[in-house]
């Protein structure tokens, strides 16, 4: 068990006292029994025994209750190793670490190069690894349709290699993934409020990007040291960033108008830092509760930012004529995340608080 001792950025910081360390009962009995039977006489035996001890975990631990890493403790401060330095989310994570006084460094190795990842970890000696690297395509995911090998190398081979190297080193990996692996269906109809849950099987492979993401998520389920965060249509208060969902749709000639789950980075990225501190694992729908449509977002933009702004809609059939691959539209169930972080705002509340109020140019 763990105990909250203080609050940081409104989220409780958990530590594990020596007598309450997050060790598995199976692990404790195993190590006690083994230590009574014989002593290890070679370095190789000692190393292998430590690896075995580290990864005998219970199903509860693997599900999301915390990975018993070699991470920070009473005598070891936090040290994050980040991947995705040149990316949007990777850059924001670095800013957050600076703001919170967390020691961190960016990895320089390529994800598909195991030796370079091992070198990064040996040099940084991190307590946690956060991965925001990968291929989304420029200017959009259509790029992946004509660069399939590059997409596989980064999104599948690279991510799996990083997860495996982290596990070998007893490190938690927080992996920023995507929730664009589902689409509304008969069991989750548009407008029903019934969202896809963490255990649901992805049903959208319309784009090669989504196909690779669904593939790697399924494989990562087998790694008990990975925390997978399903991000969707990310939005931040920086309305000049071309990766920002709001910035994108304000620049389109026409937009579809479909309710979707979305991620407000200003609110959720600090939560991802807290999840790392708690060593949470498993898959998490990493969006704000509820859905918001394109038109609702653009109306907010008009109300708060530019009263002269206007836009035009078109349907999915018309959209299909100007894009290469179909796009995912869905609602994700955020019950699991909301239960862990009750203060999490709904998508519309979060949009107002973190995006439109700070950027407001129109008088009320």
């Amino acid at each position: 068990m763990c105990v909250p001792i203080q609050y940081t950025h409104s989220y409780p910081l958990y530590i594990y006292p020596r007598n309450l360390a997050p060790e598995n009962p199976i692990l404790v009995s195993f190590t006690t029994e083994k230590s009574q039977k014989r002593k290890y006489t070679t370095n190789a035996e000692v190393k292998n025994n430590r690896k075995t001890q580290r990864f005998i975990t219970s199903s509860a631990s693997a599900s999301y209750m915390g990975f018993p890493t070699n991470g920070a403790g009473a005598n070891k401060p936090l040290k994050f190793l980040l991947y995705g330095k040149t990316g949007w989310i990777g850059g924001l994570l670095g800013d957050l670490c600076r703001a919170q006084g967390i020691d961190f460094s960016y990895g320089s190795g390529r994800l598909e190069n195991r030796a370079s990842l091992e070198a990064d970890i040996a040099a940084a000696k991190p307590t946690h690894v956060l991965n925001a690297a990968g291929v989304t395509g420029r200017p959009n995911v259509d790029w992946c349709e004509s660069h399939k090998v590059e997409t596989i190398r980064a999104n599948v081979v690279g991510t799996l290699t990083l997860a495996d190297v982290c596990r070998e080193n007893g490190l938690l990996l927080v992996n920023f993934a995507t929730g664009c692996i589902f689409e509304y269906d008969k069991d989750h109809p548009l407008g029903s409020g019934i969202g896809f849950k963490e255990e649901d099987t992805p049903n959208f492979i319309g784009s090669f990007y989504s196909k690779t993401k669904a593939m790697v998520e399924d494989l990562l389920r087998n790694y008990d040291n990975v925390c997978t965060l399903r991000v969707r249509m990310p939005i931040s208060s920086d309305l000049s960033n071309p990766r920002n969902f709001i910035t994108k749709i304000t620049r389109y000639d026409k937009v579809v108008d479909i309710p979707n789950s979305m991620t407000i980075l200003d609110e959720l990225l600090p939560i991802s830092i807290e999840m790392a501190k708690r060593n949470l694992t498993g898959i998490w729908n990493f969006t704000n509760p509820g859905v918001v449509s394109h038109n609702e977002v653009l109306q907010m933009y008009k109300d708060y930012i530019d009263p002269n702004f206007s836009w035009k809609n078109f349907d999915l059939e018309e959209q299909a004529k100007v894009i290469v691959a179909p796009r995912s539209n869905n609602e994700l169930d955020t019950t699991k995340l909301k239960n862990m972080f009750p203060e999490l705002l709904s998508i519309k509340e979060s949009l107002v608080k973190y995006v439109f109020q700070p950027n407001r140019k129109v008088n009320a």
Side-chain angles (χ1 to χ4, degrees):
M1 60 182 293
C2 56
V3 292
I5 60 165
Q6 68 183 65
Y7 285 76
T8 304
H9 293 271
S10 76
Y11 303 116
L13 173 62
Y14 282 70
I15 66 165
Y16 298 90
R18 289 184 182 276
N19 64 331
L20 294 176
E23 291 185 305
N24 192 293
I26 301 174
L27 171 59
V28 173
S29 62
F30 172 86
T31 55
T32 302
E33 179 183 353
K34 286 294 184 181
S35 62
Q36 291 174 348
K37 284 187 176 181
R38 71 182 180 96
K39 295 181 179 179
Y40 290 85
T41 57
T42 68
N43 289 336
E45 284 181 300
V46 171
K47 183 177 181 180
N48 288 334
N49 182 46
R50 286 174 180 167
K51 277 186 181 180
T52 304
Q53 292 175 17
R54 185 180 297 153
F55 296 113
I56 297 180
T57 59
S58 70
S59 59
S61 173
S63 66
Y64 70 88
M65 293 308 295
F67 178 68
T69 70
N70 63 352
N75 300 316
K76 190 175 183 182
L78 290 169
K79 173 64 183 292
F80 287 177
L81 177 60
L82 309 180
Y83 285 93
K85 180 178 181 179
T86 61
W88 181 27
I89 291 179
L92 292 175
L93 288 172
D95 293 340
L96 276 172
C97 287
R98 292 186 191 96
Q100 294 190 24
I102 298 173
D103 187 17
F104 76 98
S105 61
Y106 282 105
S108 59
R110 298 192 65 81
L111 295 190
E112 66 271 19
N113 186 325
R114 189 182 188 92
S116 68
L117 299 183
E118 291 172 340
D120 282 344
I121 289 173
K125 296 179 176 58
T127 59
H128 302 76
V129 178
L130 284 72
N131 178 40
V135 167
T136 57
R138 294 293 179 91
N140 54 52
V141 295
D142 285 342
W143 180 92
C144 299
E145 302 298 318
S146 56
H147 297 79
K148 293 185 176 180
V149 172
E150 294 93 329
T151 304
I152 292 171
R153 186 178 296 127
N155 292 353
V156 181
V157 178
T159 304
L160 289 174
T161 301
L162 181 59
D164 198 61
V165 170
C166 286
R167 191 176 192 276
E168 284 293 296
N169 286 274
L171 293 169
L172 175 80
L173 170 65
V174 177
N175 186 53
F176 290 86
T178 183
C180 293
I181 51 178
F182 297 98
E183 62 180 341
Y184 290 114
D185 61 17
K186 63 180 180 62
D187 296 319
H188 308 83
L190 188 155
S192 68
I194 302 173
F196 291 91
K197 297 182 178 181
E198 282 80 1
E199 61 271 20
D200 287 336
T201 301
N203 67 347
F204 177 76
I205 53 173
S207 70
F208 192 73
Y209 166 80
S210 292
K211 184 176 182 179
T212 62
K213 288 293 190 175
M215 184 186 305
V216 77
E217 179 183 283
D218 183 54
L219 293 171
L220 286 177
R221 288 178 185 271
N222 298 290
Y223 281 83
D224 54 2
N225 65 312
V226 176
C227 178
T228 296
L229 304 181
R230 290 174 174 167
V231 176
R232 289 211 74 233
M233 298 179 171
I235 295 169
S236 84
S237 55
D238 180 8
L239 296 179
S240 65
N241 193 302
R243 310 296 287 177
N244 192 329
F245 174 76
I246 295 177
T247 308
K248 287 181 179 180
I249 63 173
T250 56
R251 295 176 180 178
Y252 290 161
D253 292 330
K254 294 181 179 180
V255 298
V256 294
D257 182 35
I258 302 176
N260 271 284
S261 287
M262 301 183 190
T263 301
I264 306 301
L265 297 177
D266 301 67
E267 181 175 17
L268 281 161
L269 286 188
I271 288 179
S272 72
I273 298 292
E274 182 59 30
M275 294 175 80
K277 292 177 181 178
R278 299 187 195 182
N279 290 335
L280 298 180
T281 58
I283 296 172
W284 298 76
N285 288 335
F286 206 59
T287 61
N288 292 84
V291 294
V292 64
S293 71
H294 294 59
N295 279 8
E296 287 175 315
V297 173
L298 292 176
Q299 185 62 52
M300 288 183 187
Y301 184 86
K302 181 173 183 174
D303 292 341
Y304 285 87
I305 311 298
D306 182 3
N308 297 316
F309 181 79
S310 63
W311 68 94
K312 295 179 180 179
N313 289 129
F314 62 166
D315 58 29
L316 290 175
E317 290 184 2
E318 293 175 295
Q319 183 193 47
K321 297 176 183 179
V322 297
I323 58 177
V324 176
R327 301 295 193 261
S328 163
N329 294 288
N330 67 59
E331 178 174 355
L332 299 182
D333 185 297
T334 56
T335 301
K336 181 178 173 181
L337 187 65
K338 180 73 173 178
N339 285 341
M340 186 63 71
F341 299 95
E343 57 273 65
L344 181 63
L345 297 178
S346 71
I347 182 60
K348 293 178 184 178
E349 292 174 317
S350 193
L351 273 167
V352 172
K353 179 177 179 178
Y354 290 100
V355 180
F356 289 116
Q357 284 285 11
N359 287 289
R360 184 168 206 153
K361 295 180 180 179
V362 178
N363 293 328

